[in-house]
């Protein structure tokens, strides 16, 4: 049996025992995670999701945290500033081993959901996790805090704010804490390379977070 899963904006065809590298997950080496976005199952009978297959999942063990080959990014401003800059980046990845493909019942397995690391909020991780059966008397969870108005950042309008929220960015504190790797990953994810630094989002976020 094989499955087609989606993670990190990419699709992978996997079978039990396969080793593959995916964008860094919010999990340490040795942990078991579950991919809940299963687009297709194949074998004796082929099942295609619309867009995903309800109840299906792929479980995998995180073997190690690795880095991809270095990518060189060269920027040259010829007319206005006459400046140039060379920047290298190595994408952080998770090396995983597929252990089991579940055709059904994945939503009740209780295994930690495979969620991308980086700027993913705690609320996003909780929303992606499979729901286990509720105990008879469970305490009510506190309500999540309302996110910040990201449109206060230079160059951020309603459309860009929506993309940031979908990427798990909901507060100025998150942006203020970004590292160079986080900035590079977000540039790649939102397809606006260099804009974060040009607009000075991190500095603005630090000031707005204090307000």
């Amino acid at each position: 049996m094989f499955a087609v899963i989606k993670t990190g904006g990419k699709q992978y065809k996997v079978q039990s025992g396969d080793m593959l590298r995916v964008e860094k997950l919010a999990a340490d080496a040795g942990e078991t995670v579950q991919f809940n976005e299963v687009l297709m199952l194949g074998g004796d009978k082929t099942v295609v999701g619309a867009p995903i297959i309800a109840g299906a999942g792929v479980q995998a063990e995180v073997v190690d945290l690795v880095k991809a080959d270095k990518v060189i990014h060269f920027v040259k401003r010829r007319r206005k500033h006459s400046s140039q800059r060379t920047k290298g980046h190595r994408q952080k990845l998770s090396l995983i081993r597929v252990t089991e493909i579940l055709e059904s019942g994945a939503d009740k397995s209780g295994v930690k959901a495979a969620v991308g690391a980086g700027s993913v909020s705690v609320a996003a991780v909780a929303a992606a996790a499979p729901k286990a059966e509720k105990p008879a008397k469970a305490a009510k969870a506190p309500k999540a805090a309302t996110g910040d108005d990201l449109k206060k950042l230079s160059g951020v309008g309603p459309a860009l704010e929506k993309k940031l929220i979908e990427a798990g960015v909901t507060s100025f504190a998150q942006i203020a804490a970004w590292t160079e790797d986080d900035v590079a990953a977000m540039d790649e994810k939102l397809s606006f390379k260099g804009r974060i630094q040009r607009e000075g989002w991190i500095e603005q976020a630090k000031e707005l977070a204090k307000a």
Side-chain angles (χ1 to χ4, degrees), residues 155-191:
V156 178
L160 187 49
E161 182 186 41
K162 182 179 179 182
K163 288 184 178 180
L164 287 168
I165 293 173
E166 289 175 349
V169 182
T170 59
S171 68
F172 298 130
Q174 284 178 273
I175 298 174
W178 277 353
T179 63
E180 287 188 5
D181 287 342
D182 291 331
V183 170
M186 193 57 64
D187 278 345
E188 193 71 27
K189 186 175 292 184
L190 301 181
S191 301

Side-chain angles (χ1 to χ4, degrees), residues 99-120:
T99 56
E100 188 174 3
I101 297 175
L102 303 175
E103 296 183 68
S104 62
D107 51 341
K108 298 179 181 179
S109 67
V111 177
K112 177 180 179 180
V115 180
S119 301
V120 178

